[in-house]
Amino acid sequence: MSGSGGTMQAVRIHRWGQPPAVDEVPRPVPGEGETLVRVEAAAVAHLDLTVAGGSFGIKPELPYVGGVEGCGVVVDSDALEPGTRVVLRGGGLGLVRPGTWAEYVTVKTAALTPVVDGLGPALGATFWVPTTTAHTALHAVGRLGDWLDGVDAAAEHVVVAGAAGAVGSVAVQLARRAGATVTALVLDEEQAAALSDGVAAVVTTDADALKAFAADRPATLLVDTVGGTGLLERLRAVRAGGRAVLVGYVGGTEVSLELSNWLLDDVAMLPVNMIRRDRESRELAPRLAELLVSGELSLGVEEFELGEAGRAVELLRSGRLRGRGVLVPRA
């Protein structure tokens, strides 16, 4: 491995719960079994927010470079050809070693995955988690079309909470692709207008509309990416014997459950743990990437310069990102 020298820009967290800052730091040098990658796009992920909050079980030493996902080009490696475009995820990035929010990053070579032909840097950095999570939530966990004998996907009514977000938007598309009826729960009329044809919308800030929708308990499956106290109200839209797949918690991490009514409602709550399902996601990712390349699946991405990292984080935290956010280092 050759030494790289010099400095680079990186976005670092200096205090728990505080906005990130752009710093000039030494450019990393790869060690044995590592690869140096020039970062083309770095995802701003919910896990990044969780770690930066300081209450997560894994706490990097401050200050640290954030970013648990990204896409870039191999510069120096003992196993990959320079110029190879790769997905950056795993290997402790942004958790126990500097992450992707930088111009360059070193990563364990075994954690790198070559990008499917035709997939650009922004999608390469962001597609993995939302596509594999949505697919797993619907099929492996939610058992779409396989929850009762004699019921197929066309008989399912899938409700997606947080449907304008990255995981939610992909869940909407995959559920429609499977033939299910889909209702999207969104924050406002602008998000509702952006939905594809054939998808009904309910604006959750309209309490009367949400209550009216839930009154008949139409859903067989709820995919909830929001969490928080509003989860209990959304559960009431699921019919007896149905299930709710819980993916995220941007609306809050705590819910107080009154057991007698939950038992009466008879709705199963099923968690999606993608850390445990890493092997499955690695098998799914190439197929889902090909759907993105072909245009059969879409994922919205907003690009930000490194200096706009704080804004990107806040938009993600408030649920106002259109799809996923990526930080794009200078050329």
Side-chain angles (χ1 to χ4, degrees):
M1 292 296 204
S2 61
S4 56
T7 63
M8 67 173 185
Q9 285 193 326
V11 177
R12 298 199 295 178
I13 303 296
H14 289 261
R15 292 177 175 235
W16 303 120
Q18 297 299 308
V22 178
D23 298 323
E24 198 77 17
V25 300
R27 180 171 155 178
V29 178
E32 185 176 351
E34 294 183 336
T35 292
L36 176 68
V37 177
R38 176 175 59 81
V39 178
E40 294 181 297
V44 181
H46 285 290
L47 182 54
D48 293 313
L49 270 63
T50 300
V51 175
S55 60
F56 191 53
I58 300 174
K59 296 179 71 170
E61 183 178 344
L62 296 173
Y64 74 94
V65 179
V68 296
E69 300 174 84
C71 180
V73 175
V74 171
V75 175
D76 191 1
S77 176
D78 56 5
L80 297 170
E81 285 291 325
T84 302
R85 178 170 286 152
V86 290
V87 174
L88 295 152
R89 66 180 305 278
L93 284 169
L95 299 172
V96 297
R97 64 186 297 151
T100 60
W101 292 357
E103 294 179 292
Y104 293 87
V105 64
T106 57
V107 63
K108 295 177 182 177
T109 302
L112 296 173
T113 304
V115 174
V116 170
D117 287 344
L119 199 67
L123 279 177
T126 56
F127 87 95
W128 193 297
V129 169
T131 59
T132 62
T133 301
H135 191 284
T136 298
L138 287 169
H139 296 284
V141 178
R143 296 169 53 209
L144 181 65
D146 186 38
W147 65 296
L148 285 176
D149 291 339
V151 174
D152 61 19
E156 298 257 27
H157 186 156
V158 179
V159 173
V160 180
V167 175
S169 66
V170 176
V172 166
Q173 294 173 71
L174 291 177
R176 284 287 295 156
R177 198 168 187 269
T181 298
V182 180
T183 298
L185 305 186
V186 294
L187 287 175
D188 52 40
E189 293 294 344
E190 182 181 356
Q191 291 183 350
L195 295 169
S196 59
D197 293 341
V199 178
V202 175
V203 176
T204 56
T205 50
D206 184 339
D208 291 337
L210 184 58
K211 184 177 180 180
F213 170 73
D216 294 330
R217 301 185 68 182
T220 57
L221 173 63
L222 168 68
V223 177
D224 195 285
T225 71
V226 180
T229 56
L231 172 63
L232 299 179
E233 187 172 8
R234 295 188 294 274
L235 286 173
R236 296 190 183 102
V238 184
R239 68 184 62 172
R243 58 267 192 240
V245 177
L246 310 183
V247 178
Y249 40 82
V250 293
T253 58
E254 296 185 4
V255 175
S256 179
L257 190 65
E258 205 282 304
L259 286 175
S260 62
N261 282 319
W262 173 60
L263 292 169
L264 182 65
D265 286 342
D266 190 18
V267 175
M269 288 191 286
L270 308 169
V272 177
N273 181 346
M274 293 306 292
I275 295 175
R276 187 174 69 84
R277 294 176 178 273
D278 183 68
R279 184 175 178 179
E280 294 174 46
S281 72
R282 289 186 180 278
E283 293 173 355
L284 285 169
R287 287 190 284 138
L288 293 166
E290 288 171 1
L291 291 178
L292 287 167
V293 172
S294 69
E296 295 177 66
L297 196 63
S298 65
L299 177 65
V301 179
E302 286 192 68
E303 296 188 8
F304 302 85
E305 297 179 0
L306 291 185
E308 299 177 295
R311 177 167 167 260
V313 164
E314 189 49 44
L315 286 171
L316 177 61
R317 195 190 314 276
S318 64
R320 295 291 177 177
L321 266 181
R322 295 190 294 271
R324 295 210 69 187
V326 291
L327 303 181
V328 180
R330 64 192 178 195

